[in-house]
Amino acid sequence: MGAEPLPSRGDAPPMPVHVAIIMDGNGRWARARGLPRTAGHRQGAEAVRRVVRAAGEMGIGTLTLFAFSSENWRRPEDEVTELRGLLRLYLRNEIGELHANGVRLRVIGDRDQFGPETVRLIEQAEALTAGNGGLQLVIALSYGGRAEIAAAARRLAEEAKAGLIDPSAIDEDAVTARLFTADIPDPDLLIRTSGEQRVSNFLLWQIAYAEMVFSDTLWPDFDRADLEAAVAAFRGRERRYGGVTD
């Protein structure tokens, strides 16, 4: 049974519109059971299914999952191969159910790093679900927040050099418009699992005003009750955006 939602206080929103999750703890989950890390990743894929379903049922508008960072390419080759295979399996096996449930799938990051077969599956999944009006599921793959901001800065520099934009007109909105998430609302709530308390280069620009919840639950064990508990904590907070309240 999930946690009972807390009543909102003051101007606290009733529900987060956009929840972002750093899915952490697959390796520790496997190690605690004497299993290879790949077993933790497979169980983590099951957690993705649970949480996507729960987010849609709870009325969350956008769910962004940090599936593979730009730094993850440094991991052992067999682990990277397993993760790539799990991604392709997810795209093949889950897209039908996602589409039937009205989920729109988006992928941000350097997808080309995953090879042409995976890119083709991503493009097919995005095209199939593009018109869906339910939960927007954003998967961050080969993604790094600093690289995203640097790419936006390069694009602005190129546009300024070409005379397409006045440098004096470059503001926060101009940067935001050139990010992967240009048409996606910023996260209201950032969750990290496994007890770690850092953001690990994830959505650095976008989480400027996000509430953060750090869950001790390892990602493979994360379920609807954990998501509801994080949302309840969010709803119990007063968000001032730098202002003051009485």
Side-chain angles (χ1 to χ4, degrees):
M1 182 175 178
E4 289 295 324
L6 297 177
S8 60
R9 288 202 316 248
D11 295 327
M15 282 288 290
V17 173
H18 181 176
V19 176
I21 304 179
I22 300 173
M23 305 179 294
D24 192 22
N26 291 349
R28 273 168 283 173
W29 183 93
R31 185 167 62 248
R33 291 160 177 78
L35 299 171
R37 289 176 61 86
T38 53
H41 294 313
R42 288 192 290 270
Q43 194 62 34
E46 294 297 325
V48 169
R49 293 187 182 95
R50 291 194 301 268
V51 171
V52 169
R53 186 179 305 113
E57 292 171 352
M58 292 167 63
I60 293 169
T62 299
L63 175 68
T64 297
L65 302 178
F66 200 9
F68 195 94
S69 76
S70 52
E71 290 81 15
N72 285 158
W73 293 109
R74 304 171 189 164
R75 293 187 176 187
E77 185 176 351
D78 60 340
E79 184 176 351
V80 171
T81 298
E82 172 76 10
L83 288 167
R84 294 171 74 173
L86 280 172
L87 171 61
R88 288 193 296 271
L89 189 66
Y90 184 85
L91 290 168
R92 291 191 183 102
N93 293 353
E94 300 298 320
I95 194 61
E97 181 176 350
L98 293 175
H99 183 45
N101 291 328
V103 175
R104 180 185 181 187
L105 180 68
R106 306 269 304 271
V107 172
I108 61 173
D110 187 6
R111 64 181 65 181
D112 290 340
Q113 292 284 337
F114 287 86
E117 180 184 0
T118 302
V119 170
R120 177 178 57 81
L121 290 170
I122 290 171
E123 291 175 347
Q124 289 176 347
E126 288 181 325
L128 177 66
T129 62
N132 290 343
L135 173 72
Q136 180 170 224
L137 174 60
V138 183
I139 306 293
L141 294 174
S142 193
Y143 172 87
R146 287 182 173 182
E148 179 184 28
I149 295 169
R154 282 195 302 273
R155 184 174 170 188
L156 283 166
E158 290 165 357
E159 292 176 12
K161 183 178 180 180
L164 300 176
I165 186 172
D166 184 341
S168 65
I170 296 175
D171 55 12
E172 292 182 14
D173 289 340
V175 176
T176 297
R178 288 157 180 83
L179 299 175
F180 290 128
T181 56
D183 60 342
I184 299 173
D186 288 344
D188 307 289
L189 171 61
L190 173 69
I191 302 169
R192 181 170 186 143
T193 63
S194 85
E196 301 292 343
Q197 299 186 20
R198 56 184 179 272
V199 298
S200 295
N201 200 22
F202 183 46
L203 298 177
L204 297 180
W205 181 275
Q206 297 88 337
I207 62 172
Y209 288 101
E211 297 293 326
M212 299 184 185
V213 171
F214 299 103
S215 171
D216 290 331
T217 303
L218 299 176
W219 176 250
D221 293 326
F222 199 87
D223 59 15
R224 178 171 184 144
D226 294 296
L227 180 60
E228 288 181 340
V231 169
F234 168 86
R235 295 180 70 187
R237 297 180 186 178
E238 186 176 19
R239 308 184 77 202
R240 294 187 295 273
Y241 300 97
V244 291
T245 58
D246 295 332

